[in-house]
Amino acid sequence: MLLLCYNLLEAIASTFTGKEVCFVIRDPFLEDMESDVFPPSDKEIHGTKYTSLTLLHKQGKVEGPSEQEMNALAGLIVDLHPDIKPETLTKIKKKIKSNKGLYQFFLDYGVYSDFFIPWLLQIPTAMSLEVAFGYGYDISGKWRKIPKDDAFYWWVIREGMFIYLRERAVNTARLIQDKDNVLILGAGYLPELRYVDYEPTTKNLQTIVAVDSNADIPKSKLFEKVSSIEDIYLDYRTGNLMEILQKSRDGLFDAIVMNGVMSYCYDHMLDIIWMAIDKLKPSGVFMFDLQLKEWNIVRDALVFDWKTNPPMKLIDDVKKTIEIVLMRCRNLPVQVSHSIDSNHQSVTFKIIRFK
């Protein structure tokens, strides 16, 4: 139904303009998400099964894979992926040996995908988030679109966090589309500009200041598509997010976005909110999200070893967190709203400055 509505809007626009119009920002996987070909994700089957095995193994209550099981799995990996490098296989065997849940996941899904092993070794970098949009490195090191017949494609469509990453990209693109001056903190590879049919609707040249701590990101070939977007001036900077926010001399912004980062800066959240509001123009908006303690994220942390420094703060009391943010904004000239995504992965806040 959603896909039908989007297509109808595009058709109407084409009728009036006499040309094909691509102005509807949307999830590129809407059609497959509405298809019965890809069954929905199940907490017990796709979460608890692997999380429990990992925990029991770490607690010494179940044994890890035996040497015979390890050799059999390694042989299967080589048979199915003859291009795998010996050093890559060594890294994978080390991970599997110490994690019974991961071993079982490999048997069920991972071994049958050309993309799962490279993705696993990229965790927790920004590159590991790219698979949410259907692209990744295959076992031979080639960057390409994940085909529908690959075992990992189902995870692209149905994994709750991947669905949320696409929802977040869509919401971000819609938020900034008509804003002249935008600041994106923890920008990563800017999926909101690359995957959801983004085009600015500003009358002036749109300026986007993007900030990330990883200096290699703006050198990536993935940015070729961003540079091809007309009417955007992109200024990508490397540095500490808080320092850049605090010391920025770019003037005030129409929108400040902080996607997927506040959970790592939770101890400084109240200070960041204050600084961000101070950098907004009247009617400007600050949007940020906090990840919730849901089974998808817990499984990713335990089974796939999704660990970061500093560690991610997962929210288990949403009501209390909302109250904390509201209290911080009390008596300030702002309006605060919040929303939770369709798969209950994160709570997103929007703070609009009045004056």
Side-chain angles (χ1 to χ4, degrees):
M1 182 60 70
L2 284 174
L3 181 65
L4 179 62
C5 292
Y6 287 131
N7 289 340
L8 180 59
L9 285 171
E10 290 177 344
I12 293 172
S14 299
T15 300
F16 281 101
T17 61
K19 62 182 180 179
E20 183 178 353
V21 177
C22 186
F23 75 98
V24 179
I25 294 172
R26 63 176 179 178
D27 185 332
F29 293 99
L30 279 176
E31 185 175 359
D32 283 344
M33 289 170 65
E34 293 183 351
S35 172
D36 294 333
V37 174
F38 304 98
S41 182
D42 182 273
K43 179 180 178 180
E44 296 301 320
I45 296 174
H46 304 112
T48 305
K49 174 181 179 180
Y50 305 109
T51 302
S52 297
L53 277 174
T54 295
L55 286 173
L56 290 172
H57 185 192
K58 291 182 181 298
Q59 295 167 357
K61 296 179 180 180
V62 299
E63 294 183 358
S66 65
E67 197 66 30
Q68 183 179 1
E69 290 173 325
M70 285 294 301
N71 290 336
L73 179 57
L76 182 58
I77 291 174
V78 172
D79 289 342
L80 294 175
H81 310 287
D83 292 336
I84 190 170
K85 296 179 180 179
E87 58 268 29
T88 299
L89 185 62
T90 299
K91 291 178 182 178
I92 290 300
K93 288 174 66 176
K94 184 177 179 180
K95 280 182 172 289
I96 295 173
K97 183 69 176 177
S98 61
N99 189 330
K100 187 64 176 287
L102 182 60
Y103 167 78
Q104 188 61 51
F105 187 89
F106 257 94
L107 289 178
D108 295 342
Y109 299 100
V111 73
Y112 303 105
S113 170
D114 283 333
F115 296 83
F116 177 69
I117 289 175
W119 174 77
L120 185 68
L121 295 178
Q122 289 163 355
I123 290 174
T125 66
M127 182 62 74
S128 64
L129 306 182
E130 290 290 302
V131 296
F133 300 90
Y135 285 85
Y137 286 105
D138 65 17
I139 201 70
S140 65
K142 182 180 179 181
W143 176 265
R144 62 188 177 97
K145 191 174 184 178
I146 301 173
K148 292 187 178 184
D149 60 355
D150 188 274
F152 204 42
Y153 188 81
W154 177 88
W155 286 82
V156 172
I157 301 299
R158 295 304 184 202
E159 162 58 21
M161 180 50 69
F162 291 169
I163 295 173
Y164 169 65
L165 289 174
R166 296 196 296 272
E167 285 186 20
R168 187 172 72 185
V170 167
N171 291 335
T172 300
R174 289 173 179 167
L175 176 75
I176 69 173
Q177 191 174 29
D178 62 348
K179 305 295 190 295
D180 286 336
N181 298 290
V182 178
L183 173 63
I184 303 180
L185 300 169
Y189 290 91
L190 292 169
E192 54 273 352
L193 303 185
R194 296 169 42 236
Y195 289 118
V196 297
D197 292 336
Y198 180 78
E199 291 181 9
T201 58
T202 53
K203 294 180 180 179
N204 306 309
L205 179 70
Q206 184 180 52
T207 298
I208 297 179
V209 178
V211 182
D212 201 282
S213 59
N214 188 341
D216 293 328
I217 289 179
K219 304 173 187 175
S220 170
K221 290 184 178 180
L222 300 183
F223 274 86
E224 292 177 358
K225 185 173 182 179
V226 177
S227 61
S228 68
I229 302 177
E230 296 181 357
D231 302 323
I232 290 181
Y233 170 69
L234 177 63
D235 179 3
Y236 204 108
R237 304 175 186 176
T238 302
N240 180 277
L241 308 185
M242 288 188 64
E243 289 181 2
I244 290 179
L245 180 61
Q246 187 174 21
K247 299 177 181 179
S248 171
R249 296 182 179 179
D250 299 286
L252 302 180
F253 294 94
D254 298 299
I256 299 175
V257 178
M258 194 171 181
N259 283 335
V261 182
M262 194 69 89
S263 291
Y264 302 105
C265 310
Y266 187 82
D267 292 342
H268 303 287
M269 179 177 67
L270 301 184
D271 292 331
I272 293 172
I273 291 174
W274 179 275
M275 288 188 288
I277 293 173
D278 188 53
K279 295 294 182 180
L280 289 176
K281 295 179 183 179
S283 300
V285 57
F286 174 41
M287 184 171 77
F288 68 92
D289 60 343
L290 292 166
Q291 277 61 60
L292 305 181
K293 195 173 183 178
E294 288 296 304
W295 65 269
N296 308 74
I297 300 178
V298 172
R299 180 206 55 213
D300 293 350
L302 290 173
V303 180
F304 303 142
D305 199 29
W306 201 300
K307 293 183 174 63
T308 59
N309 185 24
M312 177 186 290
K313 166 72 174 180
L314 296 180
I315 304 300
D316 54 8
D317 190 337
V318 178
K319 183 178 179 181
K320 181 180 178 181
T321 302
I322 294 170
E323 290 175 351
I324 290 172
V325 174
L326 289 174
M327 184 60 67
R328 183 68 179 100
C329 296
R330 186 181 180 185
N331 298 325
L332 296 177
V334 297
Q335 178 185 14
V336 182
S337 62
H338 69 274
S339 61
I340 295 177
D341 65 284
S342 62
N343 281 276
H344 209 263
Q345 302 293 297
S346 295
V347 55
T348 298
F349 291 90
K350 289 183 182 179
I351 301 176
I352 301 176
R353 179 168 183 164
F354 291 143
K355 59 181 181 178

